[in-house]
Amino acid sequence: MMKKVILLMFLSLFFLIVLPDQSQAAANQSKIILDDQEVILPSDVQITVINQHVMIPIRVVTENLKFRVDWDQKSHSVKIQQNSNIISLHVDQREAKVAEKTVILDIAPQILNKSVVVPIRFVSEEMGLAVTWDNKDKIVYLTSNNNHSAPTEDSTPHSENNEKVSLKHLNEINFLNNQLVVRLDGKVTPIISHLKDPQRIVVDLPDTTFGDLSQRLDSGSVGKLDLQGQPNVSEVRYSLFNRDPDQVRIVIELKQASGIEVNHEFIGDQLVIDLNDTSDFESPIQAPSAGEQGRKIVVIDPGHGGNDPGTTSISNKHEKDFNLALSLKVQELLLKEPEIEVLMTRDSDVYPTRTERVLFANKLNADVFVSIHGNSVLESPQANGTETHYYQRSSSRELANAIHKRLIKAMGLRDRGIKDSSFQVIRETKMAAVLLEAGFLSNISDEKAMLSNSVQYQAAQAIVDGIKEYLSIR
């Protein structure tokens, strides 16, 4: 009982730290349920959703809690201390400290309506609580580890031999460019089925429930996406299809059945289901016929682009911009090579699908395909280094070796090695193909190097020299 009281007091402190000289604005009431008991909040405390993250104000409720709370108006930082335990947060900074260990938040604390708001999932889970957000009724359910009466949708499922199964949370779902993109807080192996009458793709996500989902769910935990302008899909609906064990089901209704191929892969925290429309493909970039003038064809692929930003760096920059900046420097250097014809899958902020990139290179009968990316693991900001991916073919392995050894020296980052991986753009292309992860945008040191103009030129030269070695061009 005492442990629960202390936990409740600690939670209240996080929610209720008063900023100096700030007025109180009226707000709509939301609920926080801790182990089946409602946490009583002041009338002007409002839970809100910012960029798909549930945020809660920090303000003080009592003066007799045995915690020390320091608010620094000048630096916009707050330090919360209990004995030797210290948590430090800064407004507009994703970097925080928990017991002197640096952690990276998915979203930074912000000042909203003259109050500091913080992501409730981070705050609560640092205290050992499981978190579920009911978007319909605007209720946050918090469950401590020693309590077993939490709502069914947030319970931890068990296997037949009574072993615990890690429950994943679906936080966002979108359908763009013939791709279903699902953001999760952990990897899930999807079960994908193609059903008829009507034609539809069914994606089942086992051991998964809804997390901080900002998109609307009805009373039956069912939602639909707005699909205006989508040529091949008439409807995407999603639901909590099963409980105990939890399972999310996503149904994609098709306008046509022929010419659709389905592939999936994880990119960061996103599961991407790609509905490849191969029935009527036109190259996104007009290019000369393969081998014109006897030159070697090299395709440079800046990853992501347009409405697909890729990952986000520790300073909130988009991966797509880094990919394009480095790729354009590679193009600039390759244009000076008389024996090479260089072509880009994109040279501006647009988004060709991965299928379009593959078919573009294959129709050209290219000799080399290089896809350029930045890596990221937000939950592990210490992850760093450069890695190169290829898929099975000996020619791709040879190209990877030639580029990687030079790229390591150029970037000056940790060598994470060469890996045999099944990314679509290197798996389905028919020529020597590699995918480069130049460094980790989620790491402070890596990001600094990656965004340096001089380092980018060094990396571009390394990539070009590696391509030339593979093609036996001096």
Side-chain angles (χ1 to χ4, degrees):
M1 183 66 183
M2 179 60 68
K3 182 178 179 181
K4 191 169 183 178
V5 169
I6 292 174
L7 187 62
L8 186 56
M9 291 168 64
F10 195 10
L11 179 63
S12 300
L13 180 65
F14 261 107
F15 292 161
L16 306 163
I17 296 177
V18 175
L19 296 180
D21 303 324
Q22 294 191 346
S23 62
Q24 298 185 359
N28 296 328
Q29 277 294 300
S30 299
K31 291 183 179 180
I32 298 173
I33 307 297
L34 172 62
D35 290 342
D36 295 332
Q37 295 183 11
E38 183 176 351
V39 176
I40 304 303
L41 301 176
S43 60
D44 60 347
V45 168
Q46 182 179 19
I47 297 172
T48 188
V49 176
I50 301 176
N51 295 331
Q52 289 81 51
H53 294 278
V54 180
M55 309 288 283
I56 187 77
I58 303 181
R59 311 180 53 205
V60 143
V61 87
T62 71
E63 295 181 356
N64 59 356
L65 295 177
K66 296 180 180 180
F67 297 94
R68 178 178 175 181
V69 180
D70 296 316
W71 163 253
D72 189 326
Q73 177 68 28
K74 184 177 181 180
S75 64
H76 277 196
S77 64
V78 60
K79 182 192 295 183
I80 302 170
Q81 182 173 357
Q82 180 197 26
N83 300 324
S84 61
N85 298 324
I86 300 176
I87 297 177
S88 299
L89 302 167
H90 295 261
V91 172
D92 295 328
Q93 292 186 23
R94 290 170 57 201
E95 184 175 310
K97 284 193 174 182
V98 178
E100 293 304 318
K101 179 182 178 181
T102 299
V103 296
I104 302 299
L105 309 179
D106 288 338
I107 186 171
Q110 301 177 28
I111 295 180
L112 183 66
N113 297 327
K114 298 183 179 181
S115 295
V116 170
V117 294
V118 296
I120 191 171
R121 185 173 293 280
F122 166 78
V123 168
S124 301
E125 289 183 349
E126 285 300 330
M127 292 185 288
L129 300 174
V131 185
T132 295
W133 167 246
D134 183 336
N135 191 55
K136 178 177 179 292
D137 296 322
K138 301 296 185 286
I139 299 175
V140 177
Y141 290 98
L142 304 174
T143 309
S144 59
N145 292 334
N146 61 346
N147 185 277
H148 302 285
S149 58
T152 303
E153 60 268 24
D154 194 46
S155 59
T156 302
H158 293 71
S159 63
E160 291 181 1
N161 60 3
N162 215 27
E163 292 181 353
K164 287 187 177 180
V165 178
S166 176
L167 186 64
K168 306 302 187 298
H169 296 84
L170 190 158
N171 297 322
E172 185 178 6
I173 178 170
N174 291 293
F175 192 90
L176 296 167
N177 300 312
N178 238 26
Q179 293 177 334
L180 177 74
V181 181
V182 180
R183 186 167 61 84
L184 298 147
D185 63 2
K187 286 195 175 182
V188 175
T189 302
I191 302 170
I192 302 175
S193 308
H194 195 156
L195 304 180
K196 298 180 180 180
D197 300 321
Q199 294 287 344
R200 61 201 187 277
I201 304 295
V202 177
V203 180
D204 286 320
L205 305 177
D207 304 319
T208 303
T209 187
F210 291 120
D212 298 341
L213 187 69
S214 62
Q215 287 128 322
R216 182 181 176 186
L217 293 170
D218 63 19
S219 58
S221 294
V222 177
K224 292 183 181 181
L225 296 181
D226 181 3
L227 294 179
Q228 290 185 354
Q230 295 295 328
N232 299 319
V233 175
S234 59
E235 181 177 276
V236 172
R237 57 185 180 270
Y238 45 93
S239 64
L240 189 58
F241 181 72
N242 193 31
R243 302 186 186 213
D244 194 23
D246 290 44
Q247 175 182 314
V248 170
R249 169 167 287 186
I250 305 168
V251 179
I252 308 168
E253 289 207 3
L254 305 174
K255 294 180 180 178
Q256 59 182 24
S258 60
I260 299 294
E261 298 177 359
V262 180
N263 291 290
H264 74 274
E265 63 181 295
F266 260 95
I267 302 176
D269 63 353
Q270 293 182 334
L271 170 64
V272 180
I273 310 289
D274 199 334
L275 275 61
N276 303 328
D277 182 8
T278 60
S279 59
D280 186 24
F281 172 78
E282 293 184 4
S283 170
I285 304 174
Q286 296 300 315
S289 59
E292 184 178 345
Q293 301 176 354
R295 293 188 290 177
K296 299 294 185 180
I297 301 291
V298 174
V299 174
I300 302 299
D301 172 43
H304 306 284
N307 53 23
D308 176 14
T311 191
T312 302
S313 79
I314 197 168
S315 61
N316 291 315
K317 294 180 175 59
H318 294 313
E319 179 198 352
K320 67 175 183 179
D321 298 324
F322 163 77
N323 298 344
L324 183 59
L326 178 54
S327 296
L328 289 174
K329 291 177 176 64
V330 175
Q331 179 194 38
E332 176 186 340
L333 296 175
L334 285 174
L335 286 171
K336 299 176 183 178
E337 299 292 333
E339 298 181 55
I340 291 176
E341 181 77 28
V342 57
L343 294 139
M344 307 281 285
T345 60
R346 69 180 183 98
D347 55 10
S348 61
D349 189 21
V350 296
Y351 179 75
T353 67
R354 291 192 301 278
T355 299
E356 289 173 337
R357 300 169 202 243
V358 167
L359 293 178
F360 173 65
N362 286 345
K363 282 195 172 185
L364 285 170
N365 195 26
D367 298 282
V368 166
F369 179 92
V370 177
S371 188
I372 293 176
H373 290 258
N375 217 333
S376 177
V377 184
L378 290 175
E379 62 271 21
S380 300
Q382 71 275 12
N384 65 329
T386 301
E387 60 190 34
T388 299
H389 299 263
Y390 76 101
Y391 179 71
Q392 294 187 349
R393 292 186 296 274
S394 59
S395 60
S396 296
R397 172 78 190 199
E398 184 181 346
L399 175 63
N401 283 328
I403 293 177
H404 184 76
K405 64 185 179 183
R406 292 176 167 87
L407 188 59
I408 288 296
K409 293 181 180 178
M411 294 300 301
L413 305 178
R414 174 190 170 198
D415 185 352
R416 294 177 61 91
I418 297 171
K419 302 178 180 181
D420 188 344
S421 306
S422 185
F423 295 113
Q424 183 185 353
V425 293
I426 56 176
R427 181 183 67 243
E428 297 181 9
T429 42
K430 298 177 181 178
M431 69 293 305
V434 295
L435 186 148
L436 308 177
E437 297 278 14
F440 278 75
L441 289 164
S442 54
N443 180 275
I444 294 175
S445 298
D446 278 23
E447 184 204 40
K448 182 178 179 180
M450 294 168 71
L451 300 184
S452 164
N453 197 55
S454 60
V455 174
Q456 286 184 12
Y457 268 110
Q458 291 171 199
Q461 188 64 63
I463 294 168
V464 170
D465 290 344
I467 292 171
K468 289 172 64 178
E469 177 185 320
Y470 170 76
L471 294 173
S472 300
I473 294 174
R474 294 187 177 183

